[in-house]
Structures are given as C-alpha cells and as structure tokens.
Amino acid sequence: MSESLEQQASRNTSTWLIPFACLLGGGGLIGISTNLAKYAGEIGITPLAFLFWSITGAAAILLIVALIRHELPPLNARSFEYYFVAALISVAGSNLLLFSAIPHVGAGFVALIISLPPLLTYLGALALRMERFNIVRALGVAAALLGAGVLAARKFSTPDASTFWILIALCGPVLLAIGNIYRTLRWPNKASPSALAPGMLIAASLLLLSFSVLPNFSVNMPLDWVPLGLIGIQAAVFAGQFLLLFLLQKTGGPVLLSLLGSVGAVVGVPVAIFLQGEMPPEGLFLGASLIALGVGLVTWGGVKMATTSIELRKDDR
C-alpha cells in the first residue's frame, strides 16, 4: 500500500532534523574558518599556503573516512568533471578570494557577505527554472541585496577602504552560489556524500598547488608548532564543513544549502568582534538586519511553497 499524503508529510517533517543539524554544524564551522584564516595571516601564513595545506589535510581525513565506510570516490569521466569544476568554483576559487581579502577588509565583513549565497542561489535557480517564482522570496532577495549594498557602500566610504579587495570579497559569494547550483545539477548518479567530498577536496588541493607556479604565489609556510597546529585545526574544520555540506546538499537542496553562510555569519561576526578585536563593520545593524530579513523571507517562502504543494495534492485527491 502506498503512503498517504499525511504519512508523507510526517516523514518529511521527521527527516528535516538531518538537514537542519547539518545546516547548524556546517554554518558554525564556516564562521570559525573565516576567523582562523585571519589569525593565519597574522602569524605569517599566506592565504594560498593556508588554504592548500588545510584542504590537503581535510582531503586526507575524508579519504580515510571513505575507506572505513567502503565508499571510495567514483573514478570516471563524469565524476572527474564534477570534482574539478566543483573544486574550482566552490573551494579553490571562492575560498582563495575570501581568504585573500580577509586581511584587507576584515573577517567580520567576509563573514557577513558569506550570508548572500542563498539569495544568489535562489536567483540562479529561478533563472534555470529549478524554482518557481514566489513574491515572498523575491522580496527577500531584494531586502538582502539592499543590505549587502549598505555594507559595501559603508565599506567603500571608510578612509582606508580598498576598492579592489572589497570587490574581490564580493566575488566570493557569487562563486559559492554558482557552486551550489552546479553541484545539484551535476551530482553523479548513485554517489554518496562521503564519496564525493574527498574527491572534490583532492581536486581542490591539486588546483591550489597549480596556482603556486604563478609569480608571488607560494605554498611554503613557517615550520613551527603554532602554524602547524593551526593548519591541523583548519583541516579538521574543513573536513567537517565539506562533509556536512554534501550531506546537506543531498538532503536539503541548493537553496537550503546556501543558508550555511547565514549561520556562518551568526558565528563569525561575534568571534571577529569579541575575540579578534575587530571593529564592527560600518552599517552593521542596518545591513545585517536587511540580510537577515531577506534570508528569512527566502526561507519562509520556500516553506510556504512546500506546504501549498502538499495541500494542492490533497485537493487533487
């Protein structure tokens, strides 16, 4: 006997706990990661070196997990395309831009703008007809983009503002949103999150290593216990972050996945202000409020759409 609509709704509610837990855990690790990147710069580790060794360590951790679970990364043309494109957009490119910008614009500013991918993901999903238009979600996108505009405008107006690094930082969320959509559309058939995560990170490590051949780029770092310990912590953070990212991708979809940045901002901004001694970003209250309102409307609009869909299916019966 097939499930009733009431049973389906109950099952969907009970399984919501998994993506919600992944969202909280993964977002918290993102907030920690942005602050660790700032500290790395303060002790003399370049963004490329910090990212390369951390990603390499995280790839090793997740590969061991995959071996234990007998879920090795699939090795075929489709999966290699997935690993390297996802790695370039979602890991190597976006994180290198964000980590490079942190010493110039602050960890708090970067943590805030990482909350933008849900809105950009929604716009992309709408353009690709992965999502239906919804007025509540559209208002959410407008509110959050206005909030980001407030933060960027205040940042540009500060006396020591670096236009170049502010623009570089703002490119990060765009790449993350593109990555959210790409990974959803191109997810290899029958591949598990535990298998795909190490494959993507190994590809990211190789891409980052290739960047080191460029002038003024190097993966060399101080061989001291503090830098090495920091790399070990960041590797563990990345391993947890990307494993939870893939689990959330599989169970929650691209728009819910992109809310990771919003949770990261909730963790990352207070850490930057209270533990790292950063000044709050100019326009923090207004900008953060508009972004929070936008994210809330995008999320609420998605829930309303899902509820309406279930009710329509009931009426059809």
Side-chain angles (χ1 to χ4, degrees):
M1 182 180 293
S2 61
E3 279 186 318
S4 68
L5 291 173
E6 289 78 7
Q7 288 174 322
Q8 291 179 18
S10 176
R11 180 168 55 81
N12 289 339
T13 300
S14 64
T15 57
W16 184 257
L17 182 61
I18 294 174
F20 184 68
C22 292
L23 177 63
L24 292 182
L29 291 175
I30 289 174
I32 294 170
S33 180
T34 57
N35 284 278
L36 290 175
K38 180 183 179 182
Y39 183 65
E42 293 174 351
I43 62 173
I45 308 176
T46 65
L48 179 60
F50 182 65
L51 194 55
F52 169 73
W53 291 110
S54 300
I55 290 293
T56 301
I61 293 170
L62 291 183
L63 190 57
I64 291 171
V65 172
L67 283 168
I68 293 172
R69 301 184 63 172
H70 302 289
E71 294 181 344
L72 290 177
L75 302 177
N76 52 57
R78 170 69 180 279
S79 61
F80 278 121
E81 175 228 305
Y82 186 88
Y83 298 148
F84 279 93
V85 176
L88 178 62
I89 299 171
S90 304
V91 186
S94 56
N95 280 287
L96 189 56
L97 292 177
L98 293 169
F99 282 18
S100 298
I102 284 174
H104 306 277
V105 301
F109 179 74
V110 168
L112 272 175
I113 63 170
I114 288 178
S115 64
L116 291 176
L119 316 157
L120 302 176
T121 301
Y122 173 64
L123 288 176
L126 196 63
L128 294 173
R129 298 186 178 181
M130 296 167 65
E131 292 268 344
R132 298 194 310 274
F133 178 79
N134 178 273
I135 186 63
V136 174
R137 303 190 100 183
L139 290 173
V141 169
L145 292 179
L146 180 60
V150 168
L151 287 171
R154 295 293 181 88
K155 197 71 177 175
F156 280 122
S157 67
T158 56
D160 59 344
S162 171
T163 301
F164 174 76
W165 286 111
I166 294 171
L167 292 175
I168 287 294
L170 291 172
C171 288
V174 176
L175 288 181
L176 290 172
I178 293 171
N180 291 338
I181 293 175
Y182 172 81
R183 290 193 312 274
T184 297
L185 290 176
R186 298 294 292 169
W187 188 288
N189 292 332
K190 299 180 181 180
S192 71
S194 299
L196 294 178
M200 184 183 74
L201 291 189
I202 291 170
S205 180
L206 293 173
L207 289 171
L208 290 167
L209 184 61
S210 70
F211 292 159
S212 67
V213 303
L214 299 174
N216 302 319
F217 284 86
S218 172
V219 296
N220 295 330
M221 56 171 286
L223 295 178
D224 190 24
W225 71 271
V226 174
L228 292 176
L230 186 63
I231 290 292
I233 294 171
Q234 182 64 58
V237 168
F238 269 148
Q241 175 185 323
F242 285 107
L243 181 58
L244 291 173
L245 179 147
F246 273 93
L247 288 170
L248 182 57
Q249 177 107 46
K250 191 69 171 176
T251 58
V255 176
L256 184 63
L257 169 75
S258 60
L259 292 175
L260 280 169
S262 304
V263 179
V266 171
V267 175
V269 173
V271 171
I273 293 172
F274 295 111
L275 295 185
Q276 301 229 55
E278 283 192 5
M279 292 295 293
E282 293 288 335
L284 173 62
F285 179 76
L286 178 59
S289 297
L290 287 168
I291 289 174
L293 174 63
V295 171
L297 288 174
V298 169
T299 307
W300 183 49
V303 173
K304 291 278 288 181
M305 288 172 66
T307 303
T308 302
S309 177
I310 290 174
E311 290 175 350
L312 287 174
R313 288 167 63 191
K314 285 182 179 179
D315 292 340
D316 289 341
R317 294 188 66 182

